[in-house]
Amino acid sequence: DGGITQSPKYLFRKEGQNVTLSCEQNLNHDAMYWYRQDPGQGLRLIYYSQIVNDFQKGDIAEGYSVSREKKESFPLTVTSAQKNPTAFYLCASSPTSDREAFFGQGTRLTVV
Amino acid sequence: GENVGLHLPTLSVQEGDNSIINCAYSNSASDYFIWYKQESGKGPQFIIDIRSNMDKRQGQRVTVLLNKTVKHLSLQIAATQPGDSAVYFCAERVGNTPLVFGKGTRLSVIA
């Protein structure tokens, strides 16, 4: 069935390790986004991509990296440079960058 | 940058009553607005959207009102049900830039 799939749902990592969060969509959407959500907070933009092979930094890109080699995939790497990586990470996509965005179910990352 | 905010962080409503969730925005250039519903541990779910050339849009049991004069957005939920309990976010966009989200309002439905 169609949609946005984030995996895994829960992820635990040791401090200092890089970790990659997966986001796949089979909706043929051009634009994809990564947001971070902390408890009781709104969503903050990490990175976004309006078209394959192109991406831009959001408001809180430091310590994160992305790639967009395929239209359907937009993986996010949380590097050891991210000072406070424990959070709920949400991936979204939209048909074009001026349309509504649809979200995956999120990955909860805990760094210990 | 300019942010989207909310007037009320929590809202408790009796089952069957109507709910009104408010949102203020400060960027007069914003031309597209969305309301999302987020249940605990899940991703936000699209509810309804509205473009700046409209002042009202209706969906199933929901209505979004946009007042550009005072930069105010509201979500009205008719006959609120226990399943409506969640956090509601408004988001704004200018052109094809990414959505900017407010902090959210928690809606609690009292049975």
Side-chain angles (χ1 to χ4, degrees), chain B residues 38-106:
Chain B
Q38 186 178 29
E39 296 175 314
S40 182
K42 296 184 177 180
Q45 177 186 358
F46 172 87
I47 302 174
I48 192 168
D49 60 357
I50 189 168
R51 295 200 179 270
S52 59
N53 60 351
M54 303 173 69
D55 53 20
K56 180 179 180 179
R57 191 158 187 234
Q58 289 184 293
Q60 188 177 10
R61 277 200 312 118
V62 295
T63 300
V64 56
L65 299 177
L66 175 62
N67 185 332
K68 295 181 286 293
T69 302
V70 295
K71 300 193 189 84
H72 185 265
L73 189 72
S74 69
L75 176 71
Q76 300 179 0
I77 304 173
T80 311
Q81 303 168 0
D84 294 327
S85 292
V87 177
Y88 289 80
F89 292 96
C90 64
E92 65 165 338
R93 163 182 282 152
V94 179
N96 66 350
T97 62
L99 289 166
V100 175
F101 286 79
K103 293 193 186 304
T105 291
R106 181 173 300 280

Side-chain angles (χ1 to χ4, degrees), chain A residues 15-26:
Chain A
E15 194 172 332
Q17 290 182 334
N18 291 356
V19 60
T20 297
L21 281 58
S22 171
C23 179
E24 303 278 331
Q25 54 98 0
N26 60 3

Side-chain angles (χ1 to χ4, degrees), chain A residues 4 33 35 92-95 99-103, chain B residues 32 34 36 44 46 93 99 101:
Chain A
I4 303 166
Y33 311 85
Y35 287 88
S93 71
S94 58
R99 295 273 307 275
E100 67 274 25
F102 298 92
F103 283 83
Chain B
Y32 181 66
I34 299 182
Y36 285 93
F46 172 87
R93 163 182 282 152
L99 289 166
F101 286 79

